[in-house]
Amino acid sequence: MYKVLLIAFALSACNFNRADPKIVAQQREAKRREAVVKILTARLEASEEIQGEGIGISGTPSATYESFKLLDGLLSDTAWLQLTYSKSPVMRVYAYQALQKRNKAMTEEVKVRLSHDDASFTMTGGCTSMPNTVRGYVTGTLDSSLFIMVRQ
């Protein structure tokens, strides 16, 4: 009887050590997703310009814009809200854009805060580029002194 109990205990211990394949797959997917989010976030934070869907006269697809679109599908509203505090003005604007599409209540709070943010960046779309500030973007105004700086 003692041997039977010992064998039963050993078999049950083996079953406890065997991970559920569904849980393992979910964990792998979560790690993969986290890695992709880190790469895309780093790419946007390193960028010095907000890009539209197409760049140049031929409308070449923008890698920066594609990164934003992919990240938009992966992040929650709360994660975008956290990114409005990024050191990168480009990331703050992309985060504001994402929230503007998804969560109007959060957008208003962020807009008030960012309306005092004078960090500058470049906006590029099609075959035009122009300087802007975070404040100018969220309030819909452009600072004419930025254009003077570009001409010099």
Side-chain angles (χ1 to χ4, degrees), residues 12-84:
S12 66
C14 289
N15 285 338
F16 285 125
N17 289 333
R18 191 176 337 149
D20 183 350
K22 289 180 184 178
I23 292 173
V24 170
Q26 289 171 346
Q27 289 171 340
R28 277 192 203 129
E29 178 61 24
K31 285 180 182 180
R32 186 191 68 76
R33 181 182 174 129
E34 183 180 323
V36 169
V37 165
K38 283 182 180 180
I39 291 168
L40 295 173
T41 302
R43 188 178 293 167
L44 291 178
E45 287 181 332
S47 179
E48 295 181 2
E49 64 182 10
I50 300 289
Q51 295 182 346
E53 194 168 350
I55 301 297
I57 198 161
S58 62
T60 304
S62 160
T64 303
Y65 183 77
E66 287 300 315
S67 295
F68 168 63
K69 280 182 22 183
L70 289 170
L71 198 56
D72 192 29
L74 295 171
L75 294 181
S76 66
D77 293 355
T78 305
W80 279 119
L81 180 62
Q82 290 172 344
L83 287 171
T84 65

Side-chain angles (χ1 to χ4, degrees), residues 109-124:
E109 296 171 22
V110 172
K111 183 177 183 176
V112 169
R113 180 171 37 87
L114 295 181
S115 67
H116 303 288
D117 187 338
D118 287 326
S120 61
F121 62 92
T122 302
M123 291 182 67
T124 303

